[in-house]
Amino acid sequence: MRLLPKLCAALAVVFLAAGPALAEDGVDHYSVGDLDVMVIRDADVTMGQQLLPGLAEKAPEFVGVFQNGPVPAVDQTFYFKKDGRQVLVDAGWGKEHKVEGHTADLLHENGIAEDDITDILLTHMDMDHIGGLLDSGRPVYPNATLWISVPEYEAWVGGGGVNRGEAAVDLAKKVAAAYKVKQFNYGDELLPGVTAVDAAGHTPGHTAYDIVSGKDKMTIAGDILHIAPVQLPRPDLSTVYDMDGEKAAAARKRLLERAAQERSLLAGMHFPMVSDVRKLEGGSFAMKQPR
């Protein structure tokens, strides 16, 4: 019974963090200054408690989040136009892997052809982010430049090493070979108003992107959160997907803290909320309804 107050508090945070899901047609739109950022639901997925080893010992009040089984999550990609460029952030699963992705389909439904895409910004090279870049070995977006951070490229393609399976590494190498690749360092402005942000930890070169237009900013933060109802109130908890759990937790706290201070929009690939971040007592965070 002593856990009951903690559980109630945890569920209150979960409710606050729930936020709006994407539109039923698979896309939603957010204004960032004069930019229209399209959020694309590539796939619906779930995340189970097994992804947070030791949760019952580290944070027993959050075990109840999984009382009905794995919690819903998403795989998302993002699209926007800026200064004559048509930009995609990540590419989702595609059609050749264990989950069927719908990014290219939803772009089509919104009048955007594969040939229109000029730039693809990768948060990292896990399969659910690059699977949609190839179809039978050919580039899906043949006119696009692929932007990859220096440490991410080195880890996956240059032989630096990642603790992923052989198939995942092989896919990353094929993707890099199929596209014109530009590597960048954290802090570089890749396109006017689009800056690469250090979010390393989930993978060696994991990258977030600040998109600035006028006085507004959205940070597309990649995989800093996998299980938002747990990791927003407990950002110190990393999942088994994070290659360096401590570094991933530090990046998560840093980006959440910054978004809360700046009142800027935060978005990611596995949580459906796109909103401001609120900092709570005790180092917890929650995401509110969009402005």
Side-chain angles (χ1 to χ4, degrees):
M1 295 299 292
R2 286 181 294 178
L3 289 179
L4 185 58
K6 290 185 177 181
L7 178 58
C8 290
L11 292 177
V13 171
V14 170
F15 178 78
L16 179 62
L22 288 178
E24 291 184 2
D25 63 358
V27 302
D28 208 348
H29 296 265
Y30 289 83
S31 295
V32 180
D34 61 359
L35 297 182
D36 173 37
V37 179
M38 186 165 73
V39 186
I40 304 168
R41 187 169 61 219
D42 186 68
D44 293 310
V45 295
T46 59
M47 304 280 181
Q49 184 179 336
Q50 75 277 6
L51 300 180
L52 292 163
L55 181 67
E57 294 75 34
K58 297 175 184 176
E61 64 271 29
F62 290 100
V63 171
V65 170
F66 304 96
Q67 61 183 342
N68 295 319
V71 297
V74 291
D75 287 322
Q76 295 184 153
T77 58
F78 298 79
Y79 166 88
F80 59 93
K81 293 182 181 179
K82 185 163 179 61
D83 296 332
R85 313 296 291 179
Q86 297 198 46
V87 183
L88 188 63
V89 184
D90 287 349
W93 280 100
K95 304 296 185 184
E96 300 179 338
H97 306 286
K98 65 179 182 178
V99 175
E100 183 177 2
H102 299 283
T103 291
D105 301 333
L106 291 168
L107 287 173
H108 272 189
E109 290 179 15
N110 285 270
I112 303 159
E114 289 95 331
D115 290 354
D116 295 337
I117 302 299
T118 60
D119 300 89
I120 301 171
L121 312 181
L122 290 186
T123 61
H124 61 298
M125 298 194 79
D126 272 332
M127 189 175 290
D128 55 328
H129 300 259
I130 67 170
L133 291 173
L134 296 179
D135 182 3
S136 300
R138 296 186 297 273
V140 173
Y141 306 98
N143 298 324
T145 295
L146 196 62
W147 297 82
I148 310 170
S149 75
V150 170
E152 191 73 2
Y153 186 92
E154 174 57 29
W156 288 88
V157 183
V162 289
N163 62 347
R164 298 292 197 251
E166 183 179 345
V169 175
D170 184 58
L171 176 63
K173 291 180 178 180
K174 288 178 178 177
V175 163
Y179 282 84
K180 176 185 177 182
V181 171
K182 285 190 177 181
Q183 298 182 54
F184 60 83
N185 296 303
Y186 296 133
D188 288 353
E189 186 177 43
L190 310 185
L191 302 168
V194 180
T195 302
V197 178
D198 183 354
H202 174 62
T203 61
H206 185 239
T207 304
Y209 295 98
D210 284 343
I211 302 169
V212 177
S213 179
K215 296 181 179 179
D216 293 343
K217 180 167 82 171
M218 174 189 284
T219 299
I220 299 176
D223 282 18
I224 66 161
L225 292 168
H226 289 88
I227 306 175
V230 176
Q231 292 179 293
L232 279 170
R234 284 293 304 268
D236 58 304
L237 298 177
S238 291
T239 72
V240 296
Y241 293 144
D242 294 322
M243 294 187 189
D244 186 328
E246 290 187 8
K247 200 169 183 179
R252 184 161 43 253
K253 293 176 187 177
R254 183 170 64 250
L255 290 174
L256 289 169
E257 180 79 40
R258 190 184 68 156
Q261 290 178 350
E262 295 179 348
R263 312 297 293 176
S264 56
L265 291 176
L266 186 74
M269 276 51 189
H270 295 301
F271 56 97
M273 306 87 75
V274 178
S275 76
D276 295 325
V277 175
R278 179 184 298 176
K279 187 173 184 180
L280 308 176
E281 293 182 3
S284 296
F285 297 88
M287 295 184 71
K288 306 185 303 179
Q289 297 288 333
R291 293 172 295 186

